[in-house]
Amino acid sequence: NDGLWAVGQVGVLIGLGAAGRLTPSTAILAWGFGGLVGAVVGYVQFRVRLGSLSNGLRWLQQSRHLGGWFGLASVAHSAANQLVAILIGVGIGPAALGGIRAVQNLFAPAQLAVVSVESVTLPHMSRVNEESGVSTLFRTALLVGVALASLVVLPVWLALINWRDAIIPGLF
């Protein structure tokens, strides 16, 4: 479905470019169209059937206590990133900020993997804590942390060690 998303998006971008109507706004619309294509195909492919509104509202009410935690984590992460960018830009200049942003782009795939793992492990950790207590939760969190470090952080670190002469000049 991601491939169809890309095909839909690129098709619209090419059409807009050929018509001389490619602007940032229409590029965003092309992205949305590609997403719609992928979503519709996924809907048909997996035979998704929408439940009733009352079941959805009931689920929302039962799980609303998690929304605050997810929202707070997201706001804290975004605020920290913005604060760091402001402090770097003011403190040591825009060139340093550009360098930091380049490194952040380098680590973006690893960051995406971490966020993806977090979205799966957080609900699991909540169940572990409720069913088995804090000591089991600590062991599970440690296991997830070690696995994440070995699968995400270690490969990026090894790539930087082995190919730093090719990677770093390309960033700066």
Side-chain angles (χ1 to χ4, degrees), residues 51-140:
S52 69
L53 181 60
S54 61
N55 285 343
L57 292 173
R58 187 172 27 260
W59 173 84
L60 189 60
Q61 184 179 18
Q62 290 171 347
S63 60
R64 72 172 182 234
H65 65 282
L66 296 175
W69 291 107
F70 282 117
L72 183 62
S74 179
V75 167
H77 184 261
S78 295
N81 280 337
Q82 292 303 316
L83 181 62
V84 166
I86 290 168
L87 292 174
I88 290 172
V90 169
I92 53 180
L97 179 58
I100 293 293
R101 290 295 188 199
V103 171
Q104 286 175 332
N105 286 336
L106 175 68
F107 284 99
Q111 180 66 25
L112 179 61
V114 169
V115 170
S116 299
V117 168
E118 180 183 86
S119 69
V120 173
T121 57
L122 185 59
H124 175 69
M125 298 282 194
S126 296
R127 282 190 300 276
V128 167
N129 185 41
E130 188 173 313
E131 294 170 2
S132 303
V134 174
S135 62
T136 305
L137 174 65
F138 179 76
R139 284 193 305 272
T140 305

Side-chain angles (χ1 to χ4, degrees), residues 121-165:
T121 57
L122 185 59
H124 175 69
M125 298 282 194
S126 296
R127 282 190 300 276
V128 167
N129 185 41
E130 188 173 313
E131 294 170 2
S132 303
V134 174
S135 62
T136 305
L137 174 65
F138 179 76
R139 284 193 305 272
T140 305
L142 184 62
L143 178 66
V144 168
V146 168
L148 191 59
S150 63
L151 294 173
V152 176
V153 176
L154 186 61
V156 172
W157 181 68
L158 289 173
L160 284 174
I161 287 174
N162 291 317
W163 300 297
R164 70 177 168 264
D165 293 336

